[in-house]
């Protein structure tokens, strides 16, 4: 089951397409999607929108592109958006809102559970004054990557949406792993997405497709978003080859995320039992496990990851003493046990 002979836990983006996906890709009926004539892309977009309780969908090449197109569609140049200070959009998307959209990001602290406090959001909303940019958008991230794969609930999402709409502000959800959140909470994903004005989710992470994300929103929002996608070069032609794998991902790969979550718990429990490593089990809510080296361990995260590699295990340093492990469909329960054993050996070598 492993990838290139490694138990590769660095990311769920490393997943490769299943044989059913490859078959669907080979047999996909395609057309020119810039003309709106790729039946497989059209099918994926309809399925995606229906799943997340929105009117329409737009196939994009990546989560980053989906988030950017959403920001460009909601905001004008010079507008402001409120974003978590640990958000993927804020940290890992090359400053795209400002660089491409002229959109001013205003960060508020992410709490340990991935939420933004509504009072913190309220405190930074701009009043009407010619000195200030206009607050146009709030973005949330579910599951929250840097906070440990933590899960935002339907009640919290609804509260932020109601608050935003009460202030004539739009809400976008970076739901790169929103299906992980839905499975973790055992709720229909709609409950996490239908109150937002737009949502992006990724097919290419835990769902295992090789490429692609879908941006969903109202019919009018997606009409405008299509133009923004074109503007940044994201109009695809016979992209149905890729969308075909996305359809399989939605049909076959969502429910099994449960296994990845169970494996993440197993991994976290195993790591918690290794002297020298520390893990906050409370944040292990989906498929991610972040752990740290205790202060008395005489080497850093990069060295631990190097040692792990020698034991056929790959994990990712995300700070001087912080490491990330992500479970996915190409890692079995038995391999998790193997990984725990290997990490224990690495600390003591
Ligand atoms: C929370 C979150 N949002 C967005 C993205 C961007 O997705 P992509 O790598 O497809 O651009 C990622 C990627 O890891 C992510 O973790």
């Amino acid at each position: 089951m492993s990838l290139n002979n490694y138990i590769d836990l660095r990311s769920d983006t490393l997943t490769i397409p299943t044989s059913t996906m490859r078959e669907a890709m080979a047999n996909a009926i395609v057309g020119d999607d810039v003309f709106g004539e790729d039946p497989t892309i059209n099918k994926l977009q309809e399925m995606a929108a229906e799943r997340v309780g929105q009117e329409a969908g737009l196939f994009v090449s990546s989560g980053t592109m989906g988030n950017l197109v959403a920001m460009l569609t909601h905001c004008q140049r010079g507008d402001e958006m409120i974003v978590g200070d640990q958000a993927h959009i804020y940290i890992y998307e090359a400053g795209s809102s400002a660089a491409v959209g002229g959109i001013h990001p205003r960060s508020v602290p992410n709490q340990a559970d991935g939420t933004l406090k509504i009072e913190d959001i309220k405190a930074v909303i701009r009043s009407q004054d010619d000195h200030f940019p206009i607050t146009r958008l709030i973005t949330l991230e579910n599951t929250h990557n840097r906070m440990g794969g933590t899960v935002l609930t339907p009640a919290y999402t609804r509260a932020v949406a109601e608050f935003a709409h009460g202030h004539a502000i739009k809400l976008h959800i970076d739901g790169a792993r929103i299906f992980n959140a839905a499975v973790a909470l055992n709720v229909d994903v709609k409950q996490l997405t239908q109150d937002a004005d737009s949502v992006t989710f990724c097919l290419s992470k835990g769902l295992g497709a090789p490429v692609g994300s879908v941006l969903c929103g109202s019919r009018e929002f997606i009409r405008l978003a299509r133009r923004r996608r074109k503007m940044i070069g994201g109009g695809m032609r016979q992209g149905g080859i890729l969308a075909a794998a996305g359809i399989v991902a939605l049909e076959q790969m969502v429910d099994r995320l449960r296994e990845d979550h169970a494996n993440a718990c197993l991994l976290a429990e195993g790591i918690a039992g290794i002297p020298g490593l520390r893990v906050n089990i409370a944040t292990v809510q989906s498929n991610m496990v972040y752990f740290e080296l205790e202060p008395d361990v005489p080497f850093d995260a990069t060295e631990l990851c190097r040692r792990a590699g020698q034991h056929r295990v790959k994990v990712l340093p995300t700070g001087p003493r912080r490491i990330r492990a992500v479970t996915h469909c190409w890692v079995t329960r038995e391999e998790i046990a193997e990984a725990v054993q290997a990490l224990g050996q690495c600390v003591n070598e």
Side-chain angles (χ1 to χ4, degrees):
M1 275 290 280
S2 47
L3 295 169
N4 299 324
N5 271 330
Y6 281 93
I7 301 170
D8 200 335
L9 297 163
R10 289 171 299 164
S11 177
D12 50 9
T13 56
L14 295 156
T15 48
I16 55 173
T18 63
S19 50
T20 316
M21 286 179 190
R22 289 178 192 270
E23 203 178 311
M25 292 169 81
N27 295 320
I29 299 168
V30 295
D32 189 332
D33 181 54
V34 175
F35 286 78
E37 291 177 9
D38 187 306
T40 310
I41 290 187
N42 290 339
K43 179 174 170 190
L44 171 66
Q45 291 176 162
E46 279 163 31
M47 271 179 79
E50 197 281 320
R51 285 291 275 270
V52 300
Q54 297 280 351
E55 286 175 359
L58 186 68
F59 187 48
V60 289
S61 66
S62 66
T64 302
M65 182 182 277
N67 288 332
L68 176 58
V69 169
M71 293 185 283
L72 292 173
T73 308
H74 286 302
C75 301
Q76 303 292 316
R77 297 188 75 78
D79 284 349
E80 192 164 74
M81 74 173 184
I82 297 171
V83 57
D85 65 352
Q86 299 301 313
H88 196 278
I89 286 180
Y90 190 58
I91 296 186
Y92 294 125
E93 299 187 5
S96 66
S97 69
V100 183
I103 302 159
H104 195 227
R106 185 96 188 265
S107 68
V108 296
N110 271 113
Q111 304 301 305
D113 61 1
T115 60
L116 308 177
K117 283 188 182 164
I118 292 192
E119 61 256 41
D120 289 345
I121 299 175
K122 194 172 179 184
V124 299
I125 291 179
R126 304 288 189 163
S127 56
Q128 285 233 349
D129 181 318
D130 284 351
H131 290 89
F132 299 147
I134 296 169
T135 307
R136 197 73 75 180
L137 182 65
I138 297 169
T139 67
L140 294 177
E141 183 174 316
N142 196 9
T143 63
H144 200 290
N145 182 344
R146 273 177 69 89
M147 303 318 290
T150 47
V151 167
L152 308 185
T153 63
Y156 172 75
T157 311
R158 198 169 315 118
V160 176
E162 279 172 12
F163 174 82
H165 297 152
H167 291 78
I169 298 171
K170 302 288 186 190
L171 173 64
H172 171 70
I173 296 178
D174 174 0
R177 298 183 180 81
I178 198 87
F179 286 100
N180 290 88
V183 165
L185 291 164
N186 210 10
V187 298
D188 187 326
V189 71
K190 283 188 186 68
Q191 292 191 44
L192 300 172
T193 51
Q194 65 195 0
D195 298 317
D197 299 284
S198 57
V199 56
T200 313
F201 70 83
C202 295
L203 299 158
S204 60
K205 299 192 164 69
L207 301 186
V211 178
S213 297
V214 190
L215 170 64
C216 297
S218 69
R219 230 175 286 289
E220 176 60 6
F221 173 83
I222 292 299
R223 187 183 71 77
L224 297 169
R226 250 187 109 78
R227 190 177 176 83
R228 303 319 189 265
R229 184 188 67 172
K230 184 72 188 148
M231 198 186 284
I232 59 171
M236 284 180 263
R237 300 294 178 179
Q238 287 73 31
I241 299 251
L242 300 171
I247 291 170
V248 175
L250 279 180
E251 285 175 345
Q252 298 188 356
M253 301 297 279
V254 172
D255 291 341
R256 64 147 309 286
L257 292 172
R258 241 171 267 290
E259 294 168 36
D260 300 342
H261 298 181
N263 283 344
C265 282
L266 193 67
L267 181 62
E269 282 160 14
I271 291 172
I274 299 173
L277 299 183
R278 185 167 57 195
V279 57
N280 179 1
I281 300 267
T283 64
V284 182
Q285 298 174 6
S286 58
N287 68 335
M288 292 190 182
V289 181
Y290 280 86
F291 57 100
E292 283 175 19
L293 293 166
E294 296 278 16
D296 59 340
V297 174
F299 52 84
D300 65 6
T302 305
E303 173 60 15
L304 181 86
C305 297
R306 190 194 65 76
R307 292 183 185 192
Q310 292 183 330
H311 290 266
R312 214 175 73 82
V313 174
K314 289 191 184 182
V315 284
L316 190 73
T318 59
R321 303 187 72 78
R322 194 175 189 226
I323 299 127
R324 185 179 85 166
V326 186
T327 56
H328 54 74
C329 59
W330 291 95
V331 177
T332 63
R333 203 165 171 78
E334 292 69 38
E335 287 173 323
I336 293 293
E338 228 182 285
V340 169
Q341 205 174 18
L343 288 169
Q345 285 170 6
C346 293
V347 179
N348 292 310
E349 271 165 6

